[in-house]
Amino acid sequence: MTWLKLVEGFMPMQMLFELTLCVGLFALMSYLLKKNGLAIPMFWQGVLFWLFIVLYLKYRIYPPIPFSVRAIYGTVALVAVFLWMSATEADWKKFKQPILNVMDAVTPFHKHLRTGYLVGIPLLLWGFAYSSLVPSQEEPIELRTVHPAPPASTKVHGKTFVLQTSSNPYRVNPEGKYDQEFTNSLIVEQSMGRLMKPTANPWDPKAEGYLKYVREGGEVFFQNCHFCHGDNLNGRGLHAFAFNPIPANFTDPGTIAQLQETFIFWRVAKGGIGLPRESFPWASVMPPWEQHLTTDEIWKVVLFEYWHTGYYPRTWD
Amino acid sequence: MGRVSRINRKKVWSAVALVAIVGLLLLPVLVSLPALAGGGAPEAAAPPPDAAKPPDAAAGKDGAPKVEKARDVFYKTEGIVSGAPAPKTADNTQFYPRYNFESRVLLWFANQQHLYYGSFVLAVPIFCMIIEFMGIVSKDKAMAKKYDQLAYDFIKISLTAYSLTAILGGILIFTFLTLYPAFFGYLSSIFRPVMHIYALLFVAESGTIYIYYYGWDKMKEGLLKWIHVSMSVVLNVIGTTLMMLANSWIGFMMSPAGVDEQGRYLGNIWHAIHTALWNPLNVHRILGNMAFGGGVVAAYAAYRFLSAKTEEERAHYDWMGYIAMAIGVAFLIPLPFAGYWLMREVYAYRQQMGITLMGGLLAWLFIIQATMIGILFLSSNYYLWQALGRMRGAEKYQRYIKYLVFVLVVGFLIFITPHTIVMTPAELKAMGGQQHPVLGNYGVMSAKNGGINVIITTTVLSFIWYQRGNKIPTVSWAKFGNIFMGCFFGLAYANIVWLAIYGYYIPANVRVGLSVPQVATTLSCLFFMTALNLVMLKGAKESGPIEWGKISVRSQYALIMLATAFTWMMGLMGYIRSSVRLFWHVNEIMRDNSPWAYTHTTGFAANMISFNVLFFWVTILFVFWLGTLGAKKVPVEAKVAVPGRAPQPVGGH
């Protein structure tokens, strides 16, 4: 349902809002129908609501949600329907009644239905069994660890960096001291819009200190990284779709926003080939950039990535 | 006259018995005091006889023994080397004697079963203490008797479990000694004094619990009753100390201290005990044990309810299940916060360990954990909703349950959305990246904190509805109170959701701090609203009695579900905590060179946990059955379900 836009920046809340709205509407409809003597039986209320959730997840949300997540959501929705239907004794009786009617074959129609189920359910199970056993052409699922645990330290150009204690030497205030507060204060908004204060433009030739390093990092980025990671750092560069999976999307709150700068430094320096064992099957072709960039350039490009996305690197108390 | 002196004699002997127990408790501590204060008594500090002598411990030039000093890996203080380095093991039968089976799995099984029973027997006496005390202070004689009977029922169940705990502890030690002798030898060389105190405390615990149980009838009145209840305090102090000592060993394995880089003991036993993770582990385990114990007792009550033959029995076990569930949930609510603190300390200790847990190798197990937590809360809420059914007049709340279901389930879904999604390469391609632009946002901590706080706040709301089920407030400000309460909850939800969204826009270290106002909001709902509700319900009009025993059968299955979920989750979290050491016996000090130093697949671990859970429940059913064998009569002495004067459980009904 791509015609109904999911607004960038508000998508997660939009989805929750839409669902809440729908539940409100259903409650209202149910109330009005009941008032006019057209109440929907409990059983069908439950079934229809569950179907609605399943269809909403399948067709409303885009890009498509992987099956594993839809299966989790669908199962939990089924549990929710059960909780709702069996919350009170009266509702539970009403919910069970159509099922019992079929099982007891209270009318000839129910008897036919029962026979239908007797044939249909085994057929359905057979179908499931068949489709799960039939050899598939599809590539198997890869349980890939996107953020592997980093080593305690990493050696780049002969120098050892302890990941827990090192810091970006270019995240500095005008006095040249490491200062997160100062650098964070130069970012005014976090989203894909304007990110810098009017007085804090890295491309101003007079910019000094932190801003100058951001500019230098940006130059490194656009000379080396943007072909894959994209102009907007969203992992959709010129060559991005030649890879599977596509390169990391830094604008996603689940990537660099969750990590320390030293983690990014380590990943950039060592590349796909330097991924630890737990990251099997190492589905990354990122070069080990230490072979092409200096240590300073790597730190600067990391600085630029945070500046551009508007995220703050993770720090510890 | 003779009777009076007999009673006095009894009092004196009871006091003597209590003093003797306390003395027995303190004796080992006194004996080991030099070890605690002086950085190790000579015998405790000496290296084990089979240990290699430290190279520099030889006599100096002038003939005086040369003292070698080294730096503590955690405290960074200097200490005198007083032990051998951690053994460097190799994959052979000298270090790892074995059967034709994976030793680690055998140890896992023995450990887990011991822990299940250990947690149970540590938790139940705490309940007994609370319930017995409530019985003593209760002014209503019938209620006092009921509470007393309930406490007795609890301790009766735990007594058989107590012997099983000891047996399983023995099996565990034998397993360690026979399959991991090098590792166990090293651990016991450091913790020798602690292990002795542990053993002596176990003796003290056994003595106390037997006197406490068998003396129940003899010490049922007056001062003797007070002595009896104070014995339960002693019992729990010993029990908790025992647990904390055992925690020091696992704390040492995860975040060693008190040794140098080679693992040589530096003579300060307090450093080895008080490691970076010891206190968070203690708090987390005490709360976890209580929640677990509540769950198991609730399952026992459910089992007895389902097999009850009479109305009286059903009423009693319905009530028992309710109290056990209430205690379990009371400790379940702060449990996520204690877990959060533990994780924070893990990150502070080693970032690598934290990422392995939450973002790397073991991250999927945390999604399973989140699912189990959700199941616990859903089951508790479901039970409370079912319990509304045994009150006349609760219909006014029942019709809104569906909205609570919606809010709970939305919180639950966000809480369990994985950050790393399982998908086929085709799905990955269709999604256009590793993270989903909509659901990816639910996969990070900020959203999850919001999710769990919404779940807990909704549970509080369900509980408040339950408290009000059959009551109509009559205080003059009832209307204002209701509006205030509604606004408070509304604002609480808004604040939690807002903070969850705001978390995306601020640095990570500030975001971590946001959990404080979120938790504060949830706890405010818990404490202030429950208190306000109780005040409002003072002198409230009853729209009907609570009909104990008239609860649906489904509610009892919810209790069994609750207990099973507790058990499963405990097994899971134990596995996660243990496997985060990866290939280390003692993190960064003693390497595991056995053939089983790899991390199990998630599927294998889940099967193993399920097997442990199944085994525990089969054996505990045996314990329950033994409990029924000893029952002489129906334990209900007070009449129940009498209209107008229903038994009042915890929480003021």
Side-chain angles (χ1 to χ4, degrees):
Chain A
M1 209 193 275
T2 44
W3 52 267
L4 189 58
K5 288 281 171 231
L6 284 162
V7 184
E8 196 156 344
F10 298 96
M11 290 175 179
M13 285 317 289
Q14 190 182 343
M15 177 178 149
L16 294 182
F17 176 72
E18 284 178 10
L19 282 173
T20 312
L21 195 70
C22 290
V23 166
L25 280 175
F26 293 152
L28 185 70
M29 267 165 53
S30 169
Y31 171 75
L32 291 175
L33 285 169
K34 197 174 170 186
K35 212 175 168 189
N36 293 304
L38 295 166
I40 308 172
M42 281 302 281
F43 178 78
W44 289 111
Q45 281 188 35
V47 171
L48 289 174
F49 183 73
W50 183 71
L51 279 176
F52 163 76
I53 295 289
V54 170
L55 295 175
Y56 178 90
L57 294 171
K58 173 107 175 115
Y59 295 109
R60 165 69 186 110
I61 303 299
Y62 62 87
I65 304 174
F67 176 75
S68 69
V69 180
R70 275 190 292 122
I72 295 173
Y73 283 12
T75 311
V76 173
L78 199 63
V79 171
V81 168
F82 167 76
L83 295 180
W84 163 30
M85 292 293 140
S86 65
T88 67
E89 208 52 45
D91 284 352
W92 180 234
K93 269 195 185 128
K94 277 189 228 162
F95 176 75
K96 278 192 306 187
Q97 204 51 55
I99 303 170
L100 293 176
N101 285 348
V102 173
M103 288 171 85
D104 294 341
V106 289
T107 63
F109 168 70
H110 287 108
K111 198 172 180 184
H112 289 310
L113 213 55
R114 188 174 69 176
T115 316
Y117 282 131
L118 207 63
V119 180
I121 291 175
L123 270 177
L124 201 69
L125 291 176
W126 173 82
F128 280 133
Y130 177 79
S131 63
S132 63
L133 288 175
V134 73
S136 163
Q137 302 292 326
E138 208 172 345
E139 290 174 70
I141 287 173
E142 286 170 358
L143 262 179
R144 186 162 168 262
T145 303
V146 185
H147 297 151
S153 62
T154 184
K155 204 170 187 178
V156 178
H157 294 140
K159 193 179 168 197
T160 302
F161 295 88
V162 177
L163 266 63
Q164 193 141 3
T165 51
S166 299
S167 57
N168 193 329
Y170 294 103
R171 192 173 282 282
V172 289
N173 59 21
E175 286 87 48
K177 285 196 179 134
Y178 181 85
D179 191 344
Q180 264 243 9
E181 294 293 315
F182 169 76
T183 54
N184 289 346
S185 71
L186 296 177
I187 299 168
V188 285
E189 192 196 326
Q190 179 216 34
S191 66
M192 294 308 296
R194 278 197 68 79
L195 299 167
M196 50 195 182
K197 278 186 175 171
T199 53
N201 179 3
W203 275 266
D204 180 347
K206 281 180 277 180
E208 278 304 315
Y210 165 73
L211 289 172
K212 187 173 133 236
Y213 304 134
V214 167
R215 183 179 68 220
E216 288 170 13
E219 282 161 11
V220 176
F221 184 88
F222 285 105
Q223 280 163 14
N224 301 281
C225 318
H226 95 286
F227 303 106
C228 299
H229 288 286
D231 303 9
N232 283 327
L233 282 70
N234 58 1
R236 283 161 170 69
L238 194 62
H239 302 317
F241 292 95
F243 307 122
N244 186 14
I246 64 167
N249 171 4
F250 302 144
T251 64
D252 187 281
T255 57
I256 62 170
Q258 297 293 320
L259 301 164
Q260 271 185 293
E261 267 183 310
T262 48
F263 187 104
I264 315 294
F265 175 79
W266 162 64
R267 292 300 317 118
V268 174
K270 301 296 172 191
I273 208 163
L275 278 166
R277 276 201 291 183
E278 70 171 277
S279 272
F280 178 85
W282 305 292
S284 165
V285 289
M286 186 162 84
W289 284 103
E290 61 179 345
Q291 294 174 9
H292 309 278
L293 300 175
T294 64
T295 307
D296 286 347
E297 283 171 332
I298 299 177
W299 280 123
K300 283 175 187 168
V301 85
V302 172
L303 201 66
F304 170 76
E305 285 167 7
Y306 280 101
W307 176 84
H308 194 287
T309 54
Y311 290 128
Y312 310 99
R314 182 178 280 271
T315 48
W316 308 102
D317 299 331
Chain B
M1 190 69 189
R3 195 170 161 268
V4 172
S5 74
R6 208 165 49 239
I7 291 174
N8 279 340
R9 225 179 18 245
K10 274 185 181 172
K11 281 182 187 172
V12 169
W13 278 114
S14 304
V16 168
L18 188 64
V19 169
I21 291 165
V22 175
L24 198 62
L25 164 67
L26 291 177
L27 186 69
V29 180
L30 288 174
V31 168
S32 59
L33 264 184
L36 289 171
E43 66 274 20
D50 56 336
K53 276 197 169 175
D56 296 340
K61 278 179 196 165
D62 54 354
K66 194 180 160 195
V67 174
E68 192 196 356
K69 288 191 169 179
R71 192 174 285 276
D72 190 317
V73 280
F74 178 69
Y75 285 102
K76 308 292 177 203
T77 50
E78 277 213 331
I80 299 167
V81 174
S82 335
K88 288 197 173 14
T89 58
D91 178 13
N92 58 38
T93 48
Q94 185 202 338
F95 293 108
Y96 299 105
R98 63 197 78 166
Y99 302 107
N100 196 12
F101 196 76
E102 188 179 331
S103 299
R104 181 173 48 159
V105 168
L106 292 175
L107 193 68
W108 185 352
F109 173 72
N111 224 328
Q112 190 62 65
Q113 295 304 324
H114 177 60
L115 269 168
Y116 279 146
Y117 277 94
S119 313
F120 181 62
V121 298
L122 286 180
V124 172
I126 302 182
F127 301 170
C128 285
M129 179 179 72
I130 299 168
I131 297 169
E132 195 186 359
F133 182 75
M134 279 164 59
I136 292 177
V137 296
S138 175
K139 284 182 187 135
D140 182 339
K141 286 269 179 221
M143 273 321 292
K145 223 165 191 178
K146 258 177 86 71
Y147 279 127
D148 201 63
Q149 180 65 44
L150 187 64
Y152 183 74
D153 274 359
F154 275 10
I155 203 78
K156 195 168 70 181
I157 306 165
S158 81
L159 210 67
T160 321
Y162 190 76
S163 6
L164 267 172
T165 311
I167 295 167
L168 287 163
I171 293 175
L172 176 61
I173 289 187
F174 290 140
T175 317
F176 261 125
L177 285 173
T178 51
L179 300 180
Y180 286 89
F183 163 66
F184 196 70
Y186 174 64
L187 198 68
S188 48
S189 75
I190 291 169
F191 284 99
R192 193 170 0 168
V194 179
M195 283 178 176
H196 280 133
I197 293 174
Y198 184 85
L200 289 167
L201 281 179
F202 208 86
V203 175
E205 166 109 351
S206 308
T208 321
I209 200 169
Y210 287 123
I211 297 170
Y212 181 66
Y213 175 71
Y214 289 110
W216 201 288
D217 284 336
K218 300 257 178 214
M219 304 168 83
K220 63 181 173 191
E221 270 159 17
L223 178 69
L224 286 174
K225 188 65 184 167
W226 280 101
I227 292 178
H228 190 253
V229 79
S230 59
M231 263 170 59
S232 71
V233 177
V234 174
L235 184 65
N236 286 312
V237 170
I238 302 172
T240 310
T241 315
L242 269 172
M243 188 203 65
M244 285 163 72
L245 292 183
N247 287 351
S248 71
W249 310 330
I250 55 165
F252 177 81
M253 286 164 72
M254 286 177 83
S255 55
V259 291
D260 70 355
E261 277 181 349
Q262 298 173 46
R264 294 180 300 181
Y265 178 52
L266 299 179
N268 189 334
I269 192 68
W270 178 241
H271 279 184
I273 295 173
H274 186 224
T275 53
L277 302 178
W278 187 52
N279 274 327
L281 274 171
N282 286 336
V283 172
H284 197 253
R285 273 199 160 168
I286 290 173
L287 293 174
N289 287 351
M290 295 290 287
F292 169 73
V296 175
V297 175
Y300 168 75
Y303 162 77
R304 296 296 301 266
F305 178 95
L306 293 170
S307 60
K309 300 274 189 298
T310 64
E311 286 296 315
E312 281 78 16
E313 262 188 286
R314 249 192 291 279
H316 177 75
Y317 289 111
D318 181 8
W319 183 63
M320 184 179 184
Y322 168 74
I323 296 211
M325 195 272 326
I327 295 176
V329 171
F331 288 93
L332 170 68
I333 287 174
L335 199 54
F337 308 131
Y340 194 80
W341 180 39
L342 174 60
M343 265 314 121
R344 214 182 130 107
E345 293 303 312
V346 166
Y347 266 99
Y349 171 70
R350 285 285 181 282
Q351 182 196 191
Q352 212 177 347
M353 206 180 241
I355 294 183
T356 302
L357 283 167
M358 307 287 288
L361 197 62
L362 303 171
W364 254 96
L365 297 170
F366 268 86
I367 291 296
I368 302 176
Q369 183 229 7
T371 313
M372 299 311 288
I373 293 174
I375 290 173
L376 288 177
F377 279 105
L378 284 184
S379 310
S380 320
N381 277 280
Y382 187 70
Y383 176 82
L384 288 173
W385 302 333
Q386 292 301 309
L388 283 173
R390 68 177 165 217
M391 293 179 205
R392 298 288 73 83
E395 297 78 11
K396 58 181 179 289
Y397 293 111
Q398 284 181 323
R399 76 179 88 146
Y400 298 111
I401 287 175
K402 52 179 174 280
Y403 301 111
L404 289 195
V405 173
F406 178 71
V407 174
L408 265 180
V409 166
V410 167
F412 180 42
L413 284 177
I414 291 174
F415 194 52
I416 62 170
T417 301
H419 185 220
T420 306
I421 296 175
V422 175
M423 54 193 157
T424 62
E427 284 176 322
L428 177 67
K429 212 163 198 172
M431 210 167 84
Q434 196 76 44
Q435 256 76 33
H436 193 281
V438 184
L439 305 185
N441 292 280
Y442 301 148
V444 293
M445 211 60 213
S446 197
K448 294 198 184 303
N449 278 346
I452 188 66
N453 278 290
V454 162
I455 292 175
I456 299 176
T457 306
T458 311
T459 308
V460 174
L461 191 58
S462 288
F463 184 64
I464 284 179
W465 283 9
Y466 175 78
Q467 283 185 313
R468 291 176 152 226
N470 62 335
K471 296 207 171 82
I472 303 158
T474 50
V475 285
S476 58
W477 46 275
K479 196 172 175 189
F480 171 76
N482 282 339
I483 294 171
F484 179 77
M485 213 180 244
C487 291
F488 199 97
F489 270 103
L491 287 174
Y493 280 119
N495 193 36
I496 290 167
V497 174
W498 156 245
L499 288 173
I501 299 169
Y502 182 58
Y504 288 91
Y505 296 88
I506 47 174
N509 59 338
V510 185
R511 183 167 61 234
V512 169
L514 271 192
S515 59
V516 177
Q518 272 181 329
V519 168
T521 310
T522 307
L523 292 182
S524 309
C525 283
L526 176 63
F527 294 119
F528 297 143
M529 291 300 102
T530 316
L532 177 67
N533 199 37
L534 284 177
V535 175
M536 279 177 77
L537 292 180
K538 224 167 193 180
K541 202 175 107 195
E542 279 196 8
S543 52
I546 302 176
E547 295 169 340
W548 293 105
K550 293 270 166 64
I551 199 166
S552 72
V553 172
R554 295 188 302 285
S555 67
Q556 303 302 305
Y557 289 115
L559 288 184
I560 293 172
M561 175 88 175
L562 189 79
T564 316
F566 269 131
T567 325
W568 210 93
M569 197 163 88
M570 230 171 111
L572 176 77
M573 296 318 286
Y575 167 68
I576 295 177
R577 188 198 50 67
S578 190
S579 59
V580 74
R581 282 180 284 114
L582 302 174
F583 44 81
W584 297 100
H585 285 311
V586 179
N587 196 34
E588 295 167 12
I589 297 284
M590 183 180 178
R591 208 184 156 106
D592 180 355
N593 285 317
S594 71
W596 312 289
Y598 61 90
T599 305
H600 278 300
T601 59
T602 307
F604 181 89
N607 284 338
M608 185 64 200
I609 295 162
S610 302
F611 174 74
N612 272 326
V613 170
L614 197 67
F615 190 88
F616 171 73
W617 278 102
V618 169
T619 51
I620 199 100
L621 271 177
F622 172 69
V623 172
F624 289 172
W625 176 73
L626 281 181
T628 60
L629 279 187
K632 289 174 197 147
K633 59 184 168 62
V634 180
V636 180
E637 293 183 33
K639 265 263 183 239
V640 290
V642 179
R645 212 206 58 71
Q648 306 288 299
V650 196
H653 283 278

